[in-house]
Amino acid sequence: MKKLQIYMLIIVLATVFLVACEEPEETEQVYTGDELLDKMEGFWVFAGYKEGSDEYAKLQGIAYGIDSRGMDIYSNFELQNKDMQIDIKKGNTIVYYEGSERKEADVSFDTRDGYELMVLESVDGTTLYEKMRMSEYYLYEGFAENKSASYDASTYLSYELTDKDLEWYLEDTYWNEFYYIYPDGTTETMNSFMMVMYSSDRTGIMDYIDETINVTWEVYDQRLYLTYEDGETYYFPIDYEYDSETKYAYLYLYDTEEGYEGCAWVLWNYVGD
């Protein structure tokens, strides 16, 4: 009889232990109306769907600029509706209008890969909006205009490219860091979440997870000169190649530090049809 009691006690203790070790269910944070509106304040750019953010989604130029006056709605990089009213229906649910169309969505917030996201869930699905400065938003407009450029043939590193050629390939194009390459062809992984864009107005951004650096730029004598906000200027000998079959373009920024001659930071961009 004692053995049975001990056995039952072990089962009860094991059950209690397993229940105690279960991870608690995540509960969505619910804001008051004022808290939610404060959290929504800022400039939010459409960046993808539930499956994940997509840099090319930003080329549609869809954005919400939200402040105490209401919501400005942008499409194709143009202001469509100004100071549209936002009402809190219940919890984190908002009601607003895009033109004459009534919209309703549940709002939540997330941080992924260092980027702050506003998530809208509605009958149309789940959409992601990334918080950014308007100056960054308009850099994507230049890239959107450039994405339909014709790339009929491959370009190789052996080609002699003029400064004008290099500027044309470089500007208004979204670049991701790819890897650091050594003269023997070996590579070293870099930060895949780092983005660079050089605008045709000769301004540019270098967007890291934890900071965004603003620069001005020019190409002279096949070198890219970058001037930072503190007035410091650095340069990199540059080169470019493009594979017409894979549609991938690569930008090479060569290292000028002594002992690293022939090494380069390589950035990539996909050039669709």
Side-chain angles (χ1 to χ4, degrees):
M1 184 66 176
K2 288 183 178 180
K3 289 183 178 180
L4 178 59
Q5 290 175 334
I6 293 172
Y7 178 71
M8 294 298 293
L9 179 61
I10 291 173
I11 293 177
V12 170
L13 290 175
T15 302
V16 172
F17 178 76
L18 288 173
V19 171
C21 290
E22 288 182 355
E23 293 185 2
E25 292 185 3
E26 292 186 5
T27 57
E28 181 182 341
Q29 182 174 355
V30 178
Y31 303 91
T32 66
D34 288 340
E35 287 174 341
L36 182 58
L37 291 175
D38 286 344
K39 188 76 174 175
M40 292 175 64
E41 186 166 332
F43 195 79
W44 303 89
V45 178
F46 173 62
Y49 297 94
K50 183 177 182 179
E51 295 74 17
S53 57
D54 178 0
E55 289 295 332
Y56 286 92
K58 300 172 188 175
L59 301 184
Q60 299 180 47
I62 299 171
Y64 296 138
I66 303 172
D67 59 23
S68 59
R69 296 185 301 273
M71 179 164 62
D72 295 340
I73 302 173
Y74 295 76
S75 179
N76 196 29
F77 300 98
E78 294 184 359
L79 179 61
Q80 303 293 327
N81 304 109
K82 186 173 178 60
D83 294 336
M84 303 299 289
Q85 183 177 343
I86 303 174
D87 295 317
I88 308 299
K89 183 177 179 181
K90 62 177 180 179
N92 292 351
T93 303
I94 63 170
V95 176
Y96 61 100
Y97 284 83
E98 290 193 10
S100 60
E101 184 178 1
R102 182 181 185 275
K103 299 275 189 175
E104 183 175 313
D106 293 330
V107 184
S108 60
F109 301 91
D110 195 5
T111 300
R112 303 180 189 177
D113 302 324
Y115 296 101
E116 188 176 352
L117 300 176
M118 180 171 66
V119 184
L120 300 185
E121 296 184 56
S122 68
V123 293
D124 298 323
T126 301
T127 50
L128 308 179
Y129 291 81
E130 181 183 318
K131 195 171 191 178
M132 67 170 61
R133 294 196 298 263
M134 288 189 70
S135 58
E136 298 173 57
Y137 166 71
Y138 283 115
L139 285 177
Y140 282 94
E141 181 179 21
F143 179 46
E145 293 173 352
N146 188 56
K147 68 182 176 62
S148 61
S150 175
Y151 292 82
D152 297 324
S154 295
T155 301
Y156 301 99
L157 294 177
S158 58
Y159 285 9
E160 289 292 332
L161 299 175
T162 67
D163 290 348
K164 289 295 184 183
D165 291 333
L166 292 168
E167 287 178 352
W168 188 85
Y169 288 126
L170 182 67
E171 67 185 19
D172 293 334
T173 301
Y174 166 80
W175 298 98
N176 267 116
E177 285 196 346
F178 192 26
Y179 53 60
Y180 186 82
I181 188 169
Y182 295 92
D184 63 1
T186 58
T187 61
E188 182 177 331
T189 302
M190 295 196 303
N191 179 9
S192 60
F193 297 111
M194 187 271 194
M195 179 270 282
V196 172
M197 187 180 291
Y198 305 111
S199 176
S200 56
D201 66 1
R202 296 302 179 263
T203 62
I205 58 171
M206 303 169 67
D207 192 12
Y208 297 87
I209 288 179
D210 55 352
E211 67 174 335
T212 299
I213 300 173
N214 293 280
V215 297
T216 57
W217 67 277
E218 65 174 332
V219 175
Y220 177 73
D221 198 20
Q222 297 181 316
R223 295 177 178 180
L224 172 63
Y225 288 83
L226 300 177
T227 301
Y228 293 78
E229 291 176 291
D230 62 4
E232 292 287 336
T233 299
Y234 299 88
Y235 75 87
F236 305 89
I238 62 172
D239 209 343
Y240 171 93
E241 65 177 341
Y242 167 69
D243 188 323
S244 61
E245 292 187 5
T246 64
K247 305 296 184 182
Y248 280 94
Y250 302 94
L251 179 65
Y252 289 74
L253 307 180
Y254 286 95
D255 202 332
T256 58
E257 186 177 345
E258 186 177 353
Y260 290 88
E261 295 85 352
C263 301
W265 292 274
V266 183
L267 289 70
W268 68 270
N269 171 53
Y270 177 75
V271 182
D273 293 326

